[in-house]
Amino acid sequence: MNIKLDTELCRIFNIRYPIFLAGMAGGPGTVSLTAAVSNAGGLGTLGAAYMEPEAIRSAIRDIRKLTNAPFGVNLFSIRATDDNTRTGEVQRELNDIRNKFGLPQVAGEGVRTPDHFEQQFTVVLEEKVPVISTAFDVLPAHMIEQAKAGGIRIVTMVTTVNEALLAEQAGCDAIVAQGSEAGGHRGTFDISNRPMGANIGTMALVPQIVDRVHIPVIAAGGIMDGRGLVAALALGAQGVQMGTRFLTSVESGAHISYRQKLLASTEESTVITNVFSGRPARGVANEFIEVWEKSRLEPLPFPTQNTATRDIRTAAAKQNNPDYMSLWAGQGLRMLTSGQSAESIVQETINQVQIIL
């Protein structure tokens, strides 16, 4: 088999190596990490889903000060519609946890989540970011039209063949095939009939998508080194997306307690849960998940649950208590290293590939 590192994906996205940084929202994905991966020859991605529109603009400009290479911005393609029908019972459960942190009690009034998606997209468009990637769905048609008119490449994360076909039909330039091993939120478009998302392993998902679409496929989920990249290329993917591998890098914004927990974890440590945000996501099991599951309460839908639990997660981070933080991570945890630079991780991955090939 003739496997090449210089894939069509590299040509389309104008990058040296077929490695994408996953868009890690909520802190771990920093400006410096994004720029470092791009400078190393991959495609750095800023996880901007929870950022205010003007904060995204500022971050994009900061990235441009650090790199001349292409980079992307990742958003959640989902409209924020708060469902407050069960807020009272959920807040009562969360109040028991708030007591542990000395946080003020929250009454059962509605939870409000600002919907910045249109404004976030407008900023990305105005700043002429080279790549926009999305989770949870494809961009709406009018946004795809605007992005294409602005010369922006579009990438969508998918978890099934049907989602991949929808993404291709919508006009995406590439697809991230997210296997169940992947850390963070499941990219499943519709979770109404499967609360924990579609959970097909990377090895099974990638070739089935490759066989049915005509645009480049990027494999994601459990890929931590050159072996994973070679395996992905052998399955027909044209590159990989790695997130967990960079969580303990020098440039990562992950909290010190989060990093320590990851470095002490194994392939058996993670679970898929919806208790932090209302959408299924893979992370290291901890006390918050355990306490919530014992309550047998259904979390509020995304993003309402995410907003409702934010004060607890913030307090836990301030008190260096990983048991009440969302510790998103994939299943390849034994392959993590401490204090390695993002550039070194990319270069080490490519060196391994070249030795294998």
Side-chain angles (χ1 to χ4, degrees), residues 47-62:
Y50 298 128
M51 293 171 71
E52 297 279 334
E54 286 310 308
I56 296 175
R57 192 187 304 279
S58 174
I60 290 166
R61 292 178 179 181
D62 287 344

Side-chain angles (χ1 to χ4, degrees), residues 194-226:
R194 43 188 174 195
M196 288 304 153
N199 291 306
I200 300 133
T202 308
M203 182 72 78
L205 183 65
V206 171
Q208 293 186 82
I209 289 179
V210 167
D211 286 351
R212 285 163 180 82
V213 299
H214 304 94
I215 55 178
V217 175
I218 301 150
I223 297 163
M224 302 287 282
D225 60 15

Side-chain angles (χ1 to χ4, degrees), residues 292-333:
W292 189 278
E293 286 179 350
K294 276 183 186 163
S295 77
R296 297 187 180 280
L297 255 188
E298 188 66 29
L300 297 167
F302 182 91
T304 318
Q305 180 79 3
N306 192 67
T307 306
T309 62
R310 184 173 291 133
D311 62 334
I312 292 168
R313 291 179 280 121
T314 302
K318 281 181 182 165
Q319 295 181 28
N320 296 315
N321 184 346
D323 263 318
Y324 287 84
M325 294 158 64
S326 49
L327 307 170
W328 304 139
Q331 290 182 314
L333 292 170

Side-chain angles (χ1 to χ4, degrees), residues 15 17 35 45 52-53 150 164 311 332:
I15 53 179
Y17 304 129
T45 307
E52 297 279 334
D311 62 334

